[in-house]
């Protein structure tokens, strides 16, 4: 039987502290060192598939160290609860999904005033291929009770929080329909290699289309539940809180990002502007570009995304005005009819900033 060994240390997790910092600075922009929260640097965001060492990392607590004997428990409102080992998972049919995953806090720094939380700029988004077993396969084997409404995933990580009593475990629930989608997977591999510790070794959930918090890392237990989960990371964090009303963060809002020319870089007056657009609510229908404050939006050409869950490439050749610097704007619309807003509604924890963003470039020649 094929086994799924734990990842050997990647460039992210080298033993020597100094070497780790040096390597990290090359492949990731570190937002917080411990636990690691780090963005994909802008120069790596031009690639359709993000180089594996530069896939962004977001961890709330100290990393649990799980070994190859780790098993996950599947239980709750099911006919036959069971535990599953890594070799058992590896023996089941494998599914590969190429996914653009974005942290709900990506772009928090662009909000005014900047809410509390990790000061993410614009690189907490990456695209890579995850491999594992459809969550559905495990749920069908367990036999769900007819009144199950959500599937709850527990991570093996926990820690104290300022606004909660005792230790809080990372746990998130998914509506049954999303949990049963064949492309929602219990993943053991990223970019063809066993998961690194930072990305949730040895097992994590991957939920295409949802902001990253749904993709529980270091998966320890799956529980079928008959009433909606109301835990800390479901009702106190990863919620849009506006004037005391709270709405859970779910699928990724429609968004776009100009990757070339680079924000803060330079380009000639005739320039091909390129970037990515994505949405958790459907495919991308349109991307438009604008220069400075001009009220004219120019339709960009769309390319072919790496998968139905991966960002859509766009590009347009523009003739820029004769000015020292210009601001380039992009605005995406998805097939569900959602368009990026000029101004997003501020929310307490700074999630879901999909407001139209301008990149500033110096014009040469
Ligand atoms: N157990 C656990 N799972 C977790 C988290 C965490 O802190 N603990 N962070 C979540 C968040 S907020 C995001 S954006 C993604 C990031 O996944 P990555 O670090 O592999 O990019 O993991 C999610 N899964
Ligand atoms: Mo996140």
């Amino acid at each position: 039987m094929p086994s799924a060994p734990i990842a050997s240390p990647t460039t992210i997790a080298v033993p020597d502290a100094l070497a780790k910092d040096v390597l990290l600075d090359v492949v990731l922009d570190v937002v917080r060192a411990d636990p690691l929260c780090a963005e994909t640097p802008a120069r790596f965001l031009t690639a359709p598939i993000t180089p594996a060492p530069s896939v962004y990392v977001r961890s709330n607590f100290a990393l649990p160290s799980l070994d190859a004997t780790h098993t996950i428990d599947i239980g709750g409102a099911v006919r036959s609860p069971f535990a599953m080992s890594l070799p058992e998972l590896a023996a089941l049919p494998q599914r590969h999904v190429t996914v653009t995953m974005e942290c709900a806090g990506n772009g928090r720094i662009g909000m005014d005033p900047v809410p509390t939380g990790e000061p993410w700029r614009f690189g907490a988004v990456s695209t890579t291929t995850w491999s594992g077993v459809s969550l559905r396969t495990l749920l069908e084997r367990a036999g769900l009770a007819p009144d199950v409404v959500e599937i709850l995933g527990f991570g093996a990580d926990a820690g104290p929080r300022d606004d909660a009593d005792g230790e809080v475990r990372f746990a998130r629930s998914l509506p049954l329909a999303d949990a049963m989608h064949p492309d929602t997977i219990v993943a053991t591999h990223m970019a063809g290699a066993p998961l690194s510790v930072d990305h949730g070794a040895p097992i994590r959930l991957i939920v295409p289309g949802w902001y990253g918090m749904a993709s529980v890392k270091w998966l320890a237990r799956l529980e079928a539940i008959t009433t909606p989960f109301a835990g800390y990371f479901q009702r106190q964090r990863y919620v849009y809180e506006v004037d005391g009303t709270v709405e859970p963060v779910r699928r990724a809002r429609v968004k776009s990002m100009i990757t070339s020319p680079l924000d803060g870089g330079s380009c000639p007056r005739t320039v091909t502007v390129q970037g990515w657009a994505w949405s958790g609510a459907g495919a991308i229908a349109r991307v438009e570009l604008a220069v400075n404050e001009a009220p004219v939006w120019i339709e960009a050409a769309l390319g072919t995304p790496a998968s139905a869950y991966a960002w859509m490439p766009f590009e347009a050749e523009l003739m820029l005005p004769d000015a020292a610097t210009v601001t380039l704007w992009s605005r995406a619309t998805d097939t569900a009819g959602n368009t990026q807003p000029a101004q997003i509604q501020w929310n307490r924890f700074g999630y879901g900033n999909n407001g139209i963003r301008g990149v500033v470039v110096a014009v040469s020649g």
Side-chain angles (χ1 to χ4, degrees), residues 17-38:
L18 178 65
K20 175 174 171 168
D21 288 348
V22 170
L23 274 176
L24 267 180
D25 285 346
V26 175
V27 297
L28 286 163
D29 286 340
V30 176
V31 173
R32 179 160 62 136
D34 197 13
L36 183 63
C37 290

mmCIF file of all heavy atoms in Angstrom, residues 17-38:
data_model
loop_
_atom_site.group_PDB
_atom_site.id
_atom_site.type_symbol
_atom_site.label_atom_id
_atom_site.label_comp_id
_atom_site.label_asym_id
_atom_site.label_seq_id
_atom_site.Cartn_x
_atom_site.Cartn_y
_atom_site.Cartn_z
ATOM 1 N N ALA A 17 17.619 28.810 12.906
ATOM 2 C CA ALA A 17 16.739 29.983 12.949
ATOM 3 C C ALA A 17 17.185 31.074 11.973
ATOM 4 O O ALA A 17 16.379 31.654 11.268
ATOM 5 C CB ALA A 17 16.689 30.539 14.365
ATOM 6 N N LEU A 18 18.485 31.317 11.920
ATOM 7 C CA LEU A 18 18.983 32.389 11.052
ATOM 8 C C LEU A 18 18.740 32.038 9.587
ATOM 9 O O LEU A 18 18.199 32.824 8.818
ATOM 10 C CB LEU A 18 20.475 32.629 11.289
ATOM 11 C CG LEU A 18 21.091 33.700 10.393
ATOM 12 C CD1 LEU A 18 20.483 35.065 10.705
ATOM 13 C CD2 LEU A 18 22.608 33.752 10.547
ATOM 14 N N ALA A 19 19.128 30.798 9.235
ATOM 15 C CA ALA A 19 18.955 30.367 7.850
ATOM 16 C C ALA A 19 17.487 30.455 7.458
ATOM 17 O O ALA A 19 17.147 30.865 6.359
ATOM 18 C CB ALA A 19 19.463 28.944 7.689
ATOM 19 N N LYS A 20 16.629 30.102 8.396
ATOM 20 C CA LYS A 20 15.199 30.137 8.111
ATOM 21 C C LYS A 20 14.763 31.559 7.766
ATOM 22 O O LYS A 20 14.058 31.786 6.789
ATOM 23 C CB LYS A 20 14.417 29.616 9.322
ATOM 24 C CG LYS A 20 12.919 29.737 9.169
ATOM 25 C CD LYS A 20 12.179 29.082 10.324
ATOM 26 C CE LYS A 20 10.687 29.436 10.235
ATOM 27 N NZ LYS A 20 9.860 28.639 11.112
ATOM 28 N N ASP A 21 15.219 32.519 8.568
ATOM 29 C CA ASP A 21 14.829 33.904 8.308
ATOM 30 C C ASP A 21 15.316 34.376 6.947
ATOM 31 O O ASP A 21 14.588 35.015 6.197
ATOM 32 C CB ASP A 21 15.399 34.836 9.389
ATOM 33 C CG ASP A 21 14.670 34.638 10.710
ATOM 34 O OD1 ASP A 21 13.620 33.965 10.699
ATOM 35 O OD2 ASP A 21 15.162 35.140 11.728
ATOM 36 N N VAL A 22 16.567 34.034 6.641
ATOM 37 C CA VAL A 22 17.140 34.484 5.378
ATOM 38 C C VAL A 22 16.372 33.892 4.208
ATOM 39 O O VAL A 22 15.971 34.587 3.281
ATOM 40 C CB VAL A 22 18.642 34.117 5.312
ATOM 41 C CG1 VAL A 22 19.179 34.349 3.912
ATOM 42 C CG2 VAL A 22 19.418 34.923 6.331
ATOM 43 N N LEU A 23 16.115 32.571 4.277
ATOM 44 C CA LEU A 23 15.380 31.918 3.199
ATOM 45 C C LEU A 23 13.975 32.474 3.081
ATOM 46 O O LEU A 23 13.475 32.725 1.997
ATOM 47 C CB LEU A 23 15.305 30.414 3.458
ATOM 48 C CG LEU A 23 16.481 29.608 2.952
ATOM 49 C CD1 LEU A 23 16.317 28.152 3.353
ATOM 50 C CD2 LEU A 23 16.584 29.725 1.434
ATOM 51 N N LEU A 24 13.347 32.661 4.208
ATOM 52 C CA LEU A 24 11.982 33.165 4.215
ATOM 53 C C LEU A 24 11.872 34.490 3.497
ATOM 54 O O LEU A 24 10.956 34.721 2.719
ATOM 55 C CB LEU A 24 11.510 33.362 5.658
ATOM 56 C CG LEU A 24 10.762 32.199 6.287
ATOM 57 C CD1 LEU A 24 10.376 32.564 7.693
ATOM 58 C CD2 LEU A 24 9.542 31.844 5.461
ATOM 59 N N ASP A 25 12.824 35.385 3.786
ATOM 60 C CA ASP A 25 12.776 36.709 3.184
ATOM 61 C C ASP A 25 12.886 36.653 1.664
ATOM 62 O O ASP A 25 12.433 37.557 0.978
ATOM 63 C CB ASP A 25 13.898 37.599 3.747
ATOM 64 C CG ASP A 25 13.577 38.055 5.158
ATOM 65 O OD1 ASP A 25 12.409 37.912 5.558
ATOM 66 O OD2 ASP A 25 14.485 38.539 5.843
ATOM 67 N N VAL A 26 13.492 35.599 1.164
ATOM 68 C CA VAL A 26 13.637 35.487 -0.286
ATOM 69 C C VAL A 26 12.332 35.025 -0.929
ATOM 70 O O VAL A 26 11.913 35.536 -1.949
ATOM 71 C CB VAL A 26 14.778 34.506 -0.640
ATOM 72 C CG1 VAL A 26 14.853 34.288 -2.153
ATOM 73 C CG2 VAL A 26 16.097 35.039 -0.109
ATOM 74 N N VAL A 27 11.672 34.072 -0.293
ATOM 75 C CA VAL A 27 10.520 33.449 -0.949
ATOM 76 C C VAL A 27 9.169 33.982 -0.481
ATOM 77 O O VAL A 27 8.159 33.800 -1.151
ATOM 78 C CB VAL A 27 10.545 31.912 -0.805
ATOM 79 C CG1 VAL A 27 11.769 31.337 -1.487
ATOM 80 C CG2 VAL A 27 10.482 31.468 0.645
ATOM 81 N N LEU A 28 9.138 34.612 0.675
ATOM 82 C CA LEU A 28 7.867 35.116 1.219
ATOM 83 C C LEU A 28 8.093 36.485 1.854
ATOM 84 O O LEU A 28 9.195 36.790 2.313
ATOM 85 C CB LEU A 28 7.333 34.161 2.297
ATOM 86 C CG LEU A 28 6.721 32.839 1.824
ATOM 87 C CD1 LEU A 28 6.623 31.853 2.979
ATOM 88 C CD2 LEU A 28 5.340 33.057 1.212
ATOM 89 N N ASP A 29 7.039 37.300 1.891
ATOM 90 C CA ASP A 29 7.097 38.545 2.659
ATOM 91 C C ASP A 29 6.458 38.264 4.019
ATOM 92 O O ASP A 29 5.244 38.059 4.103
ATOM 93 C CB ASP A 29 6.314 39.656 1.944
ATOM 94 C CG ASP A 29 7.054 40.186 0.723
ATOM 95 O OD1 ASP A 29 8.283 40.000 0.644
ATOM 96 O OD2 ASP A 29 6.402 40.784 -0.148
ATOM 97 N N VAL A 30 7.290 38.240 5.056
ATOM 98 C CA VAL A 30 6.806 37.844 6.376
ATOM 99 C C VAL A 30 6.025 38.987 7.028
ATOM 100 O O VAL A 30 6.514 40.101 7.131
ATOM 101 C CB VAL A 30 7.981 37.404 7.274
ATOM 102 C CG1 VAL A 30 7.497 37.073 8.683
ATOM 103 C CG2 VAL A 30 8.685 36.207 6.653
ATOM 104 N N VAL A 31 4.825 38.682 7.447
ATOM 105 C CA VAL A 31 3.977 39.649 8.137
ATOM 106 C C VAL A 31 4.119 39.455 9.641
ATOM 107 O O VAL A 31 4.142 40.397 10.412
ATOM 108 C CB VAL A 31 2.498 39.487 7.699
ATOM 109 C CG1 VAL A 31 1.562 40.364 8.515
ATOM 110 C CG2 VAL A 31 2.359 39.807 6.208
ATOM 111 N N ARG A 32 4.226 38.196 10.064
ATOM 112 C CA ARG A 32 4.494 37.855 11.460
ATOM 113 C C ARG A 32 5.317 36.573 11.450
ATOM 114 O O ARG A 32 4.980 35.642 10.728
ATOM 115 C CB ARG A 32 3.181 37.648 12.228
ATOM 116 C CG ARG A 32 3.409 37.264 13.676
ATOM 117 C CD ARG A 32 2.192 37.520 14.529
ATOM 118 N NE ARG A 32 1.044 36.734 14.093
ATOM 119 C CZ ARG A 32 0.243 36.082 14.947
ATOM 120 N NH1 ARG A 32 0.479 36.121 16.241
ATOM 121 N NH2 ARG A 32 -0.793 35.414 14.498
ATOM 122 N N ALA A 33 6.371 36.538 12.272
ATOM 123 C CA ALA A 33 7.304 35.406 12.194
ATOM 124 C C ALA A 33 6.788 34.171 12.928
ATOM 125 O O ALA A 33 7.033 33.045 12.498
ATOM 126 C CB ALA A 33 8.660 35.822 12.749
ATOM 127 N N ASP A 34 6.082 34.377 14.061
ATOM 128 C CA ASP A 34 5.743 33.228 14.904
ATOM 129 C C ASP A 34 4.390 33.434 15.576
ATOM 130 O O ASP A 34 4.293 34.298 16.432
ATOM 131 C CB ASP A 34 6.845 33.063 15.962
ATOM 132 C CG ASP A 34 6.809 31.686 16.590
ATOM 133 O OD1 ASP A 34 6.116 30.811 16.050
ATOM 134 O OD2 ASP A 34 7.451 31.514 17.631
ATOM 135 N N PRO A 35 3.368 32.673 15.202
ATOM 136 C CA PRO A 35 3.370 31.686 14.119
ATOM 137 C C PRO A 35 3.460 32.390 12.769
ATOM 138 O O PRO A 35 3.029 33.528 12.633
ATOM 139 C CB PRO A 35 2.013 30.997 14.280
ATOM 140 C CG PRO A 35 1.136 32.028 14.923
ATOM 141 C CD PRO A 35 2.048 32.818 15.822
ATOM 142 N N LEU A 36 4.028 31.669 11.812
ATOM 143 C CA LEU A 36 4.305 32.294 10.522
ATOM 144 C C LEU A 36 3.036 32.765 9.805
ATOM 145 O O LEU A 36 2.094 32.009 9.622
ATOM 146 C CB LEU A 36 5.056 31.305 9.620
ATOM 147 C CG LEU A 36 5.469 31.869 8.251
ATOM 148 C CD1 LEU A 36 6.449 33.028 8.414
ATOM 149 C CD2 LEU A 36 6.083 30.776 7.385
ATOM 150 N N CYS A 37 3.046 34.054 9.457
ATOM 151 C CA CYS A 37 2.034 34.615 8.571
ATOM 152 C C CYS A 37 2.831 35.364 7.515
ATOM 153 O O CYS A 37 3.590 36.282 7.848
ATOM 154 C CB CYS A 37 1.109 35.576 9.318
ATOM 155 S SG CYS A 37 0.031 34.700 10.486
ATOM 156 N N ALA A 38 2.714 34.964 6.262
ATOM 157 C CA ALA A 38 3.606 35.503 5.240
ATOM 158 C C ALA A 38 2.902 35.535 3.891
ATOM 159 O O ALA A 38 2.145 34.636 3.554
ATOM 160 C CB ALA A 38 4.873 34.662 5.159
#
